[in-house]
Amino acid sequence: MNDVVTQDSIYQLQEIIKEFPKADIVTRHHFSDGMYAREMVMPAGSIVVGALHKTKHLFSVVSGECEISSVHEREKIAAPYLGETVPGTKRVIYSETGCTWIAYYPTNLTDINEIEKALVEQEGI
């Protein structure tokens, strides 16, 4: 499980899964002074290809188990888990049991579209 994937293979998977029914992913947005948290609840068996991140920030898996793959890492993680995202990270998340993932971003922005422009690379997908 120590093998990492290439960015190209992540983009290829992203194209392939467009042909499949979308998983019922629930996304919630939370705001506090200078902080934005994006909560994602993924059902068991779902695959999520995340955005290409511009910033360093923390994330946590607060429930469930998942496997993540990126050019930086490949590992199986179980809640409770706290990790760090570095700029240039684009992940594939496979939710094995159903899991809740929360990413924490330092920002004073509150408009979701503006937040996405500031924090992730725009890919036009």
Side-chain angles (χ1 to χ4, degrees):
M1 257 224 246
N2 293 330
D3 298 329
V4 294
V5 297
T6 66
Q7 207 77 308
D8 285 344
S9 65
I10 293 173
Y11 282 105
Q12 289 170 354
L13 176 62
Q14 183 172 288
E15 287 300 312
I16 291 168
I17 65 175
K18 285 181 183 179
E19 303 301 319
F20 292 88
K22 290 192 177 209
D24 187 21
I25 307 294
V26 176
T27 303
R28 296 183 188 102
H29 307 280
H30 308 277
F31 300 92
S32 189
D33 292 343
M35 181 67 61
Y36 163 63
R38 181 181 178 111
E39 177 184 7
M40 191 169 48
V41 180
M42 299 169 278
S46 59
I47 297 173
V48 173
V49 178
L52 181 61
H53 293 277
K54 294 180 182 179
T55 64
K56 182 186 269 191
H57 59 275
L58 297 175
F59 71 90
S60 60
V61 176
V62 297
S63 69
E65 297 179 11
C66 59
E67 185 172 336
I68 59 172
S69 297
S70 75
V71 297
H72 306 292
E73 62 196 344
R74 181 174 177 195
E75 65 180 311
K76 189 173 182 174
I77 57 179
Y81 181 88
L82 179 65
E84 183 178 51
T85 297
V86 297
T89 300
K90 183 175 181 71
R91 286 189 185 89
V92 175
I93 305 167
Y94 172 68
S95 177
E96 293 184 2
T97 63
C99 68
T100 300
W101 179 292
I102 304 174
Y104 309 92
Y105 304 91
T107 183
N108 288 310
L109 298 171
T110 57
D111 179 272
I112 301 304
N113 291 326
E114 291 300 314
I115 290 171
E116 288 184 0
K117 287 178 188 172
L119 302 177
V120 298
E121 296 293 339
Q122 302 303 299
E123 298 182 34
I125 55 171

